[in-house]
Amino acid sequence: SPAIPPSTCGAVSISPTRMDDGGFAIFAGDGTSLRTIVDSSGIFATFREISVDWSGTVAFWSSLDDGTEGLFVGADGRFDRVIADGDPLFGSVVTGLSFFQEGLNDVRQLAFGYRLQDGRTGIARADLGLVPEPGSMALGAAALAAAALARRRRSISPVAAA
């Protein structure tokens, strides 16, 4: 079993791990136990570059079974998708993405590199929003998920362009 390095934030990321069945998984832990964040038994095929913030949110780059590549913040490929190939961005269409281990900061901003169909490249930031308080999660979970997805799409802003 993999060793869990000490962490000051209460969560650690572990490189994508090849499982006994040949698939891949991303795990997080608190120094004593591991939990599976996402694995390749669903739509996800492979994983690269993982980033964890202070609250335990895990962002990662993944290629999907259909060949699409994108950035995600959870196991639900539809609701946890931040951006992927083929998505509209800045009046064009995403044709490539890059992401680094330090891409997610502690105020839930995700920085990533992009390449667009019209030839532009740059760095953008997606604001993932606030972590909801436990008491408010029971109120309209479906509506919040839809709003969060819409917010992610609206709140991507350019940081630098080439």
PDB file of all heavy atoms in Angstrom, residues 120-148:
ATOM      1  N   ARG A 120      -5.189  31.100 -30.769  1.00  0.00           N
ATOM      2  CA  ARG A 120      -4.778  31.778 -29.538  1.00  0.00           C
ATOM      3  C   ARG A 120      -4.401  30.764 -28.473  1.00  0.00           C
ATOM      4  O   ARG A 120      -4.949  29.670 -28.413  1.00  0.00           O
ATOM      5  CB  ARG A 120      -5.905  32.667 -28.995  1.00  0.00           C
ATOM      6  CG  ARG A 120      -6.146  33.900 -29.819  1.00  0.00           C
ATOM      7  CD  ARG A 120      -7.246  34.755 -29.229  1.00  0.00           C
ATOM      8  NE  ARG A 120      -8.529  34.069 -29.412  1.00  0.00           N
ATOM      9  CZ  ARG A 120      -9.623  34.328 -28.714  1.00  0.00           C
ATOM     10  NH1 ARG A 120      -9.609  35.240 -27.756  1.00  0.00           N
ATOM     11  NH2 ARG A 120     -10.753  33.681 -28.965  1.00  0.00           N
ATOM     12  N   THR A 121      -3.441  31.151 -27.631  1.00  0.00           N
ATOM     13  CA  THR A 121      -3.058  30.369 -26.458  1.00  0.00           C
ATOM     14  C   THR A 121      -2.975  31.315 -25.271  1.00  0.00           C
ATOM     15  O   THR A 121      -2.876  32.530 -25.436  1.00  0.00           O
ATOM     16  CB  THR A 121      -1.678  29.690 -26.648  1.00  0.00           C
ATOM     17  OG1 THR A 121      -0.690  30.706 -26.844  1.00  0.00           O
ATOM     18  CG2 THR A 121      -1.677  28.730 -27.826  1.00  0.00           C
ATOM     19  N   GLY A 122      -3.026  30.767 -24.089  1.00  0.00           N
ATOM     20  CA  GLY A 122      -2.905  31.613 -22.909  1.00  0.00           C
ATOM     21  C   GLY A 122      -3.115  30.829 -21.639  1.00  0.00           C
ATOM     22  O   GLY A 122      -3.167  29.592 -21.640  1.00  0.00           O
ATOM     23  N   ILE A 123      -3.227  31.577 -20.570  1.00  0.00           N
ATOM     24  CA  ILE A 123      -3.495  31.005 -19.253  1.00  0.00           C
ATOM     25  C   ILE A 123      -4.798  31.620 -18.775  1.00  0.00           C
ATOM     26  O   ILE A 123      -5.015  32.822 -18.892  1.00  0.00           O
ATOM     27  CB  ILE A 123      -2.358  31.320 -18.270  1.00  0.00           C
ATOM     28  CG1 ILE A 123      -1.052  30.696 -18.771  1.00  0.00           C
ATOM     29  CG2 ILE A 123      -2.701  30.815 -16.868  1.00  0.00           C
ATOM     30  CD1 ILE A 123       0.172  31.132 -18.007  1.00  0.00           C
ATOM     31  N   ALA A 124      -5.686  30.782 -18.246  1.00  0.00           N
ATOM     32  CA  ALA A 124      -6.971  31.267 -17.748  1.00  0.00           C
ATOM     33  C   ALA A 124      -7.176  30.767 -16.324  1.00  0.00           C
ATOM     34  O   ALA A 124      -6.459  29.887 -15.850  1.00  0.00           O
ATOM     35  CB  ALA A 124      -8.108  30.782 -18.649  1.00  0.00           C
ATOM     36  N   ARG A 125      -8.161  31.358 -15.668  1.00  0.00           N
ATOM     37  CA  ARG A 125      -8.496  30.970 -14.297  1.00  0.00           C
ATOM     38  C   ARG A 125      -9.988  30.668 -14.227  1.00  0.00           C
ATOM     39  O   ARG A 125     -10.808  31.459 -14.667  1.00  0.00           O
ATOM     40  CB  ARG A 125      -8.161  32.106 -13.340  1.00  0.00           C
ATOM     41  CG  ARG A 125      -8.388  31.754 -11.883  1.00  0.00           C
ATOM     42  CD  ARG A 125      -8.216  32.948 -10.979  1.00  0.00           C
ATOM     43  NE  ARG A 125      -9.405  33.786 -11.075  1.00  0.00           N
ATOM     44  CZ  ARG A 125      -9.394  35.100 -10.964  1.00  0.00           C
ATOM     45  NH1 ARG A 125      -8.273  35.750 -10.786  1.00  0.00           N
ATOM     46  NH2 ARG A 125     -10.518  35.787 -11.062  1.00  0.00           N
ATOM     47  N   ALA A 126     -10.329  29.524 -13.649  1.00  0.00           N
ATOM     48  CA  ALA A 126     -11.726  29.172 -13.383  1.00  0.00           C
ATOM     49  C   ALA A 126     -11.966  29.337 -11.893  1.00  0.00           C
ATOM     50  O   ALA A 126     -11.226  28.784 -11.077  1.00  0.00           O
ATOM     51  CB  ALA A 126     -12.005  27.737 -13.812  1.00  0.00           C
ATOM     52  N   ASP A 127     -12.961  30.124 -11.524  1.00  0.00           N
ATOM     53  CA  ASP A 127     -13.333  30.298 -10.120  1.00  0.00           C
ATOM     54  C   ASP A 127     -14.377  29.246  -9.782  1.00  0.00           C
ATOM     55  O   ASP A 127     -15.487  29.273 -10.314  1.00  0.00           O
ATOM     56  CB  ASP A 127     -13.880  31.698  -9.882  1.00  0.00           C
ATOM     57  CG  ASP A 127     -12.819  32.765 -10.111  1.00  0.00           C
ATOM     58  OD1 ASP A 127     -11.631  32.479  -9.910  1.00  0.00           O
ATOM     59  OD2 ASP A 127     -13.194  33.878 -10.490  1.00  0.00           O
ATOM     60  N   LEU A 128     -14.017  28.326  -8.898  1.00  0.00           N
ATOM     61  CA  LEU A 128     -14.891  27.200  -8.590  1.00  0.00           C
ATOM     62  C   LEU A 128     -15.985  27.544  -7.590  1.00  0.00           C
ATOM     63  O   LEU A 128     -16.889  26.754  -7.381  1.00  0.00           O
ATOM     64  CB  LEU A 128     -14.068  26.015  -8.082  1.00  0.00           C
ATOM     65  CG  LEU A 128     -12.984  25.530  -9.039  1.00  0.00           C
ATOM     66  CD1 LEU A 128     -12.214  24.386  -8.421  1.00  0.00           C
ATOM     67  CD2 LEU A 128     -13.574  25.139 -10.380  1.00  0.00           C
ATOM     68  N   GLY A 129     -15.918  28.697  -6.963  1.00  0.00           N
ATOM     69  CA  GLY A 129     -16.953  29.080  -6.002  1.00  0.00           C
ATOM     70  C   GLY A 129     -16.597  28.671  -4.588  1.00  0.00           C
ATOM     71  O   GLY A 129     -15.573  28.064  -4.327  1.00  0.00           O
ATOM     72  N   LEU A 130     -17.472  28.998  -3.683  1.00  0.00           N
ATOM     73  CA  LEU A 130     -17.260  28.748  -2.264  1.00  0.00           C
ATOM     74  C   LEU A 130     -17.647  27.334  -1.890  1.00  0.00           C
ATOM     75  O   LEU A 130     -18.526  26.735  -2.496  1.00  0.00           O
ATOM     76  CB  LEU A 130     -18.065  29.738  -1.423  1.00  0.00           C
ATOM     77  CG  LEU A 130     -17.737  31.209  -1.651  1.00  0.00           C
ATOM     78  CD1 LEU A 130     -18.709  32.076  -0.865  1.00  0.00           C
ATOM     79  CD2 LEU A 130     -16.313  31.494  -1.243  1.00  0.00           C
ATOM     80  N   VAL A 131     -17.034  26.824  -0.828  1.00  0.00           N
ATOM     81  CA  VAL A 131     -17.408  25.537  -0.272  1.00  0.00           C
ATOM     82  C   VAL A 131     -18.678  25.756   0.546  1.00  0.00           C
ATOM     83  O   VAL A 131     -18.699  26.599   1.438  1.00  0.00           O
ATOM     84  CB  VAL A 131     -16.286  24.974   0.638  1.00  0.00           C
ATOM     85  CG1 VAL A 131     -16.715  23.660   1.257  1.00  0.00           C
ATOM     86  CG2 VAL A 131     -15.004  24.822  -0.152  1.00  0.00           C
ATOM     87  N   PRO A 132     -19.777  25.030   0.245  1.00  0.00           N
ATOM     88  CA  PRO A 132     -21.014  25.251   0.998  1.00  0.00           C
ATOM     89  C   PRO A 132     -20.898  24.770   2.434  1.00  0.00           C
ATOM     90  O   PRO A 132     -20.178  23.823   2.725  1.00  0.00           O
ATOM     91  CB  PRO A 132     -22.046  24.426   0.231  1.00  0.00           C
ATOM     92  CG  PRO A 132     -21.258  23.401  -0.493  1.00  0.00           C
ATOM     93  CD  PRO A 132     -19.904  24.013  -0.762  1.00  0.00           C
ATOM     94  N   GLU A 133     -21.630  25.437   3.338  1.00  0.00           N
ATOM     95  CA  GLU A 133     -21.689  24.985   4.724  1.00  0.00           C
ATOM     96  C   GLU A 133     -22.532  23.728   4.791  1.00  0.00           C
ATOM     97  O   GLU A 133     -23.493  23.578   4.040  1.00  0.00           O
ATOM     98  CB  GLU A 133     -22.286  26.078   5.606  1.00  0.00           C
ATOM     99  CG  GLU A 133     -21.416  27.300   5.689  1.00  0.00           C
ATOM    100  CD  GLU A 133     -22.008  28.335   6.623  1.00  0.00           C
ATOM    101  OE1 GLU A 133     -22.830  27.967   7.481  1.00  0.00           O
ATOM    102  OE2 GLU A 133     -21.645  29.506   6.486  1.00  0.00           O
ATOM    103  N   PRO A 134     -22.215  22.793   5.716  1.00  0.00           N
ATOM    104  CA  PRO A 134     -22.942  21.530   5.773  1.00  0.00           C
ATOM    105  C   PRO A 134     -24.459  21.695   5.880  1.00  0.00           C
ATOM    106  O   PRO A 134     -25.208  20.965   5.256  1.00  0.00           O
ATOM    107  CB  PRO A 134     -22.370  20.849   7.018  1.00  0.00           C
ATOM    108  CG  PRO A 134     -21.014  21.438   7.172  1.00  0.00           C
ATOM    109  CD  PRO A 134     -21.121  22.849   6.661  1.00  0.00           C
ATOM    110  N   GLY A 135     -24.956  22.659   6.635  1.00  0.00           N
ATOM    111  CA  GLY A 135     -26.389  22.835   6.802  1.00  0.00           C
ATOM    112  C   GLY A 135     -27.093  23.277   5.535  1.00  0.00           C
ATOM    113  O   GLY A 135     -28.259  22.965   5.320  1.00  0.00           O
ATOM    114  N   SER A 136     -26.386  23.983   4.672  1.00  0.00           N
ATOM    115  CA  SER A 136     -27.025  24.483   3.453  1.00  0.00           C
ATOM    116  C   SER A 136     -27.022  23.457   2.335  1.00  0.00           C
ATOM    117  O   SER A 136     -27.720  23.623   1.347  1.00  0.00           O
ATOM    118  CB  SER A 136     -26.323  25.751   2.986  1.00  0.00           C
ATOM    119  OG  SER A 136     -25.008  25.457   2.578  1.00  0.00           O
ATOM    120  N   MET A 137     -26.265  22.377   2.461  1.00  0.00           N
ATOM    121  CA  MET A 137     -26.164  21.395   1.392  1.00  0.00           C
ATOM    122  C   MET A 137     -27.474  20.652   1.175  1.00  0.00           C
ATOM    123  O   MET A 137     -27.758  20.219   0.058  1.00  0.00           O
ATOM    124  CB  MET A 137     -25.018  20.418   1.671  1.00  0.00           C
ATOM    125  CG  MET A 137     -23.680  21.082   1.491  1.00  0.00           C
ATOM    126  SD  MET A 137     -22.225  20.128   1.954  1.00  0.00           S
ATOM    127  CE  MET A 137     -22.609  18.490   1.537  1.00  0.00           C
ATOM    128  N   ALA A 138     -28.283  20.517   2.206  1.00  0.00           N
ATOM    129  CA  ALA A 138     -29.532  19.788   2.061  1.00  0.00           C
ATOM    130  C   ALA A 138     -30.569  20.580   1.276  1.00  0.00           C
ATOM    131  O   ALA A 138     -31.508  20.011   0.737  1.00  0.00           O
ATOM    132  CB  ALA A 138     -30.091  19.438   3.444  1.00  0.00           C
ATOM    133  N   LEU A 139     -30.412  21.894   1.181  1.00  0.00           N
ATOM    134  CA  LEU A 139     -31.392  22.736   0.506  1.00  0.00           C
ATOM    135  C   LEU A 139     -31.106  22.823  -0.983  1.00  0.00           C
ATOM    136  O   LEU A 139     -30.175  23.489  -1.412  1.00  0.00           O
ATOM    137  CB  LEU A 139     -31.385  24.145   1.114  1.00  0.00           C
ATOM    138  CG  LEU A 139     -31.681  24.224   2.601  1.00  0.00           C
ATOM    139  CD1 LEU A 139     -31.472  25.646   3.099  1.00  0.00           C
ATOM    140  CD2 LEU A 139     -33.100  23.767   2.871  1.00  0.00           C
ATOM    141  N   GLY A 140     -31.901  22.154  -1.753  1.00  0.00           N
ATOM    142  CA  GLY A 140     -31.817  22.263  -3.208  1.00  0.00           C
ATOM    143  C   GLY A 140     -30.514  21.783  -3.800  1.00  0.00           C
ATOM    144  O   GLY A 140     -29.900  22.494  -4.584  1.00  0.00           O
ATOM    145  N   ALA A 141     -30.078  20.586  -3.458  1.00  0.00           N
ATOM    146  CA  ALA A 141     -28.801  20.069  -3.947  1.00  0.00           C
ATOM    147  C   ALA A 141     -28.755  20.044  -5.476  1.00  0.00           C
ATOM    148  O   ALA A 141     -27.750  20.402  -6.080  1.00  0.00           O
ATOM    149  CB  ALA A 141     -28.536  18.686  -3.384  1.00  0.00           C
ATOM    150  N   ALA A 142     -29.834  19.656  -6.103  1.00  0.00           N
ATOM    151  CA  ALA A 142     -29.849  19.600  -7.566  1.00  0.00           C
ATOM    152  C   ALA A 142     -29.715  21.006  -8.158  1.00  0.00           C
ATOM    153  O   ALA A 142     -28.992  21.216  -9.138  1.00  0.00           O
ATOM    154  CB  ALA A 142     -31.118  18.938  -8.059  1.00  0.00           C
ATOM    155  N   ALA A 143     -30.409  21.979  -7.576  1.00  0.00           N
ATOM    156  CA  ALA A 143     -30.328  23.353  -8.084  1.00  0.00           C
ATOM    157  C   ALA A 143     -28.926  23.912  -7.892  1.00  0.00           C
ATOM    158  O   ALA A 143     -28.411  24.606  -8.766  1.00  0.00           O
ATOM    159  CB  ALA A 143     -31.353  24.232  -7.383  1.00  0.00           C
ATOM    160  N   LEU A 144     -28.309  23.602  -6.765  1.00  0.00           N
ATOM    161  CA  LEU A 144     -26.954  24.079  -6.520  1.00  0.00           C
ATOM    162  C   LEU A 144     -25.963  23.487  -7.512  1.00  0.00           C
ATOM    163  O   LEU A 144     -25.061  24.176  -7.981  1.00  0.00           O
ATOM    164  CB  LEU A 144     -26.531  23.757  -5.082  1.00  0.00           C
ATOM    165  CG  LEU A 144     -27.217  24.575  -3.998  1.00  0.00           C
ATOM    166  CD1 LEU A 144     -26.793  24.074  -2.620  1.00  0.00           C
ATOM    167  CD2 LEU A 144     -26.902  26.040  -4.149  1.00  0.00           C
ATOM    168  N   ALA A 145     -26.147  22.211  -7.826  1.00  0.00           N
ATOM    169  CA  ALA A 145     -25.241  21.568  -8.783  1.00  0.00           C
ATOM    170  C   ALA A 145     -25.362  22.234 -10.153  1.00  0.00           C
ATOM    171  O   ALA A 145     -24.364  22.509 -10.811  1.00  0.00           O
ATOM    172  CB  ALA A 145     -25.547  20.081  -8.878  1.00  0.00           C
ATOM    173  N   ALA A 146     -26.578  22.505 -10.570  1.00  0.00           N
ATOM    174  CA  ALA A 146     -26.784  23.165 -11.858  1.00  0.00           C
ATOM    175  C   ALA A 146     -26.200  24.578 -11.845  1.00  0.00           C
ATOM    176  O   ALA A 146     -25.573  25.013 -12.807  1.00  0.00           O
ATOM    177  CB  ALA A 146     -28.276  23.210 -12.198  1.00  0.00           C
ATOM    178  N   ALA A 147     -26.397  25.296 -10.743  1.00  0.00           N
ATOM    179  CA  ALA A 147     -25.852  26.653 -10.632  1.00  0.00           C
ATOM    180  C   ALA A 147     -24.327  26.629 -10.618  1.00  0.00           C
ATOM    181  O   ALA A 147     -23.679  27.483 -11.221  1.00  0.00           O
ATOM    182  CB  ALA A 147     -26.383  27.335  -9.373  1.00  0.00           C
ATOM    183  N   ALA A 148     -23.754  25.643  -9.931  1.00  0.00           N
ATOM    184  CA  ALA A 148     -22.291  25.540  -9.870  1.00  0.00           C
ATOM    185  C   ALA A 148     -21.715  25.285 -11.256  1.00  0.00           C
ATOM    186  O   ALA A 148     -20.704  25.873 -11.634  1.00  0.00           O
ATOM    187  CB  ALA A 148     -21.878  24.439  -8.904  1.00  0.00           C
TER     188      ALA A 148
END
